[in-house]
Amino acid sequence: KNEAMKSLPLKLLFGLSSLFVSIASMLVSFCAAHFFVLKDKYKHILFPIYIATCLPATFYAVVQFPLYVDLLKAIFKKLPQPSITSSQF
């Protein structure tokens, strides 16, 4: 029972972290490919486009940050074990 209480938040934390890394790497690869494909005369327009592209991912990361913190607390915080009393029988 105690193993599941540590295992599940750890798996959720790993999934959330890998989601953030994949979104960030996708944005970096998009911006790099877009930067190399366009001609020099359009390069002054690129940075506002890149900022607009990163806004939804940044908003998603900010919204999910409390879940990330809660998962870290659930993994590293020592929870008290329930005690069995005679009234529970």
Side-chain angles (χ1 to χ4, degrees):
K1 184 176 178 180
N2 195 15
E3 181 68 28
M5 293 178 91
K6 289 278 188 188
S7 176
L8 184 61
L10 191 61
K11 289 176 184 177
L12 288 171
L13 184 70
F14 177 72
L16 191 61
S17 298
S18 61
L19 178 66
F20 287 150
V21 168
S22 67
I23 289 172
S25 62
M26 184 174 52
L27 285 173
V28 167
S29 65
F30 167 77
C31 293
H34 198 248
F35 186 79
F36 289 128
V37 167
L38 287 181
K39 297 184 178 3
D40 287 332
K41 65 179 182 175
Y42 298 118
K43 294 210 180 199
H44 66 281
I45 306 173
L46 293 181
F47 291 109
I49 292 173
Y50 296 158
I51 291 170
T53 303
C54 293
L55 280 178
T58 304
F59 178 71
Y60 180 76
V62 168
V63 168
Q64 294 299 322
F65 187 72
L67 173 63
Y68 199 81
V69 171
D70 287 342
L71 285 172
L72 285 173
K73 284 180 186 177
I75 291 171
F76 294 113
K77 185 177 180 183
K78 180 76 172 164
L79 296 175
Q81 296 297 321
S83 61
I84 298 175
T85 60
S86 61
S87 64
Q88 292 177 343
F89 290 112

